[in-house]
Amino acid sequence: MKKKTILFLAAVIIMVACGKKSENQEKPPVKVKTEQVSTSYEGAGQTYVGIVEESEATAVSFTSMGVVRRMLVSEGQYVSRGQLLAEMDPSTMSNSVTAAAATTSQANDMVAQAQATYDQAKDAYDRMKLLHDNGSLPEIKWIEMETKLQQAETMLKSAKSSVKSASATERIARKGLSDTRLVAPVSGVVGKKQVNAGETAMPSQSVVTILNINTVKVKVSVPEAEMSAIGENTRSLVRVEAANRQVPGGRVEKGVQADAMTHTYDIRVNVANSDRKLLPGMVANVTLYTGRKGDGSMVSGGGVTVPVNCVQRRADGTHFVWVINKDNKAHRQTVTLGPTSDNRVYIIDGLSDGQRVVIDGYQKLSEGTKTQDVEH
């Protein structure tokens, strides 16, 4: 009897242990399909044809006339600020510098001689002044000493003036020699060369044009009736087939003067172009997402969209979708709905780019359910 009791207790302990093990065992994750949401304005924009332009153009020129000896850049080449672009024949300016330097040297020698003459005259004047003050020097001798001092002082001032003039001439000559080297004042891409080696460059004549294309502008013409819907921060998408690029547009610049014939205004969409693939003159298709469709009707609420069937409604009338966070657990996310388009609905508020929304398998979810995305 005692043996049977022991066996019974052992069986009970094993059953309890198995039950606890079963309770502690985690439930397998629920398999779902998700979609990573992103901003979409499908059907809510108007497309225009535009032309890519540089953001800035700098015309670079020599300051004096001369024959261009060397052109060191070619069209389309990227140049850095301070880089040598072209050289003019320096022989004329070099001769001018040599002559000006010789004149400056002669003027300095004249100053040295005039200074010595003045020092002698001043020393004699100071010694004679003592005699004159004591009444021991005839007046005619004193007048003679004053005259010599004045003459020496005048000669010294004239010599110093000559040095200033010669130095200024030398500086101008050296500046002219330096100006025979044309350097880039800014960084950018060489757009067009106006002068080639062997040709004579005139003062202020553009030799090359340097374009800043790290940011470009796409110019499009917009009918006046559509201008009111476009703002500085209007979203846009720029497609350039020649560069095989599709990039979001940036700040919009609106023109204020209409074309008298077409009644259109020019706007310019800024586009980042760090790799410099977009070049001036390329044709671009620009879609401006103003909330207006191609037929002119308005769409209120372009933005994030999700399939209509994944949106659920609570008893209080609010809507939500199931989102999967980084912990792979399901959470209810309250959303505000916009208009529907085909089988999708715009989400005005509640979702942001990059979130994962459950589009299949949401019927089996509850708050905090562990999930497994079958699409990942």
Side-chain angles (χ1 to χ4, degrees):
M1 182 68 181
K2 186 176 182 181
K3 186 176 182 180
K4 289 182 179 181
T5 303
I6 293 173
L7 291 174
F8 175 75
L9 291 174
V12 171
I13 292 172
I14 292 172
M15 290 176 64
V16 171
C18 290
K20 288 185 177 180
K21 183 177 180 181
S22 178
E23 290 177 1
N24 293 333
Q25 189 175 18
E26 289 188 4
K27 295 180 180 179
V30 175
K31 293 183 178 182
V32 296
K33 288 184 180 181
T34 65
E35 176 181 293
Q36 186 170 350
V37 297
S38 60
T39 302
S40 171
Y41 290 84
E42 192 72 31
Q46 177 70 13
T47 301
Y48 307 86
V49 177
I51 298 293
V52 177
E53 296 180 340
E54 68 279 359
S55 59
E56 291 180 346
T58 303
V60 187
S61 60
F62 289 104
T63 57
S64 59
M65 183 178 72
V67 177
V68 177
R69 185 174 68 173
R70 292 194 302 165
M71 284 296 300
L72 303 175
V73 295
S74 56
E75 294 182 2
Q77 178 182 343
Y78 182 82
V79 296
S80 301
R81 181 179 180 181
Q83 181 175 335
L84 183 63
L85 305 176
E87 283 184 322
M88 191 181 287
D89 187 351
S91 55
T92 301
M93 287 299 177
S94 181
N95 293 336
S96 298
V97 170
T98 301
T103 302
T104 302
S105 178
Q106 292 173 0
N108 284 326
D109 292 341
M110 291 176 59
V111 168
Q113 294 174 4
Q115 184 69 51
T117 301
Y118 174 80
D119 291 343
Q120 290 177 355
K122 184 69 167 59
D123 180 64
Y125 175 87
D126 290 341
R127 285 186 286 105
M128 292 299 179
K129 187 175 188 303
L130 294 174
L131 296 175
H132 177 266
D133 292 344
N134 292 330
S136 302
L137 185 70
E139 189 66 24
I140 190 169
K141 288 289 186 179
W142 175 244
I143 294 174
E144 183 180 343
M145 292 305 302
E146 286 184 326
T147 301
K148 286 183 178 180
L149 181 60
Q150 290 175 355
Q151 290 175 342
E153 186 175 6
T154 300
M155 289 179 60
L156 180 59
K157 288 181 178 179
S158 177
K160 288 182 177 180
S161 177
S162 296
V163 168
K164 288 183 179 180
S165 178
S167 297
T169 301
E170 184 179 354
R171 284 195 301 270
I172 293 172
R174 292 189 182 280
K175 177 65 167 58
L177 179 61
S178 174
D179 288 344
T180 61
R181 292 166 53 86
L182 187 65
V183 298
V186 295
S187 298
V189 174
V190 176
K192 191 168 184 61
K193 292 196 304 181
Q194 306 288 348
V195 178
N196 293 311
E199 297 179 347
T200 300
M202 303 300 293
S204 301
Q205 174 191 3
S206 176
V207 176
V208 295
T209 302
I210 299 178
L211 309 179
N212 179 2
I213 59 172
N214 289 329
T215 299
V216 294
K217 298 180 180 181
V218 181
K219 183 181 76 171
V220 298
S221 296
V222 177
E224 60 182 14
E226 300 172 16
M227 283 291 288
S228 61
I230 300 173
E232 180 180 356
N233 298 314
T234 296
R235 300 194 186 197
S236 60
L237 184 66
V238 178
R239 303 176 183 87
V240 182
E241 292 186 4
N244 193 26
R245 291 285 302 276
Q246 178 173 297
V247 294
R251 184 171 59 87
V252 177
E253 300 173 9
K254 297 174 62 175
V256 296
Q257 187 170 359
D259 186 291
M261 297 294 293
T262 62
H263 297 283
T264 59
Y265 288 82
D266 287 340
I267 70 166
R268 288 172 170 83
V269 179
N270 288 268
V271 180
N273 188 36
S274 58
D275 59 1
R276 299 190 287 275
K277 296 294 185 182
L278 303 181
L279 301 177
M282 287 184 173
V283 177
N285 290 318
V286 181
T287 303
L288 295 171
Y289 297 113
T290 59
R292 186 185 297 274
K293 294 182 179 179
D295 60 5
S297 61
M298 296 299 294
V299 173
S300 58
V304 171
T305 66
V306 297
V308 173
N309 60 358
C310 73
V311 179
Q312 300 184 53
R313 180 176 178 145
R314 296 189 181 93
D316 61 2
T318 60
H319 297 86
F320 71 93
V321 295
W322 288 102
V323 297
I324 306 301
N325 291 347
K326 293 181 179 179
D327 57 6
N328 288 326
K329 292 183 178 180
H331 300 278
R332 291 184 180 88
Q333 180 71 47
T334 301
V335 293
T336 302
L337 304 183
T340 59
S341 177
D342 296 330
N343 64 338
R344 301 184 70 84
V345 60
Y346 285 93
I347 304 298
I348 297 175
D349 188 33
L351 291 177
S352 57
D353 286 0
Q355 286 188 288
R356 291 161 54 200
V357 174
V358 178
I359 60 173
D360 191 17
Y362 48 81
Q363 301 88 345
K364 300 172 285 185
L365 298 178
S366 58
E367 185 67 27
T369 299
K370 190 78 171 179
T371 64
Q372 178 185 353
D373 193 345
V374 297
E375 294 295 308
H376 290 75

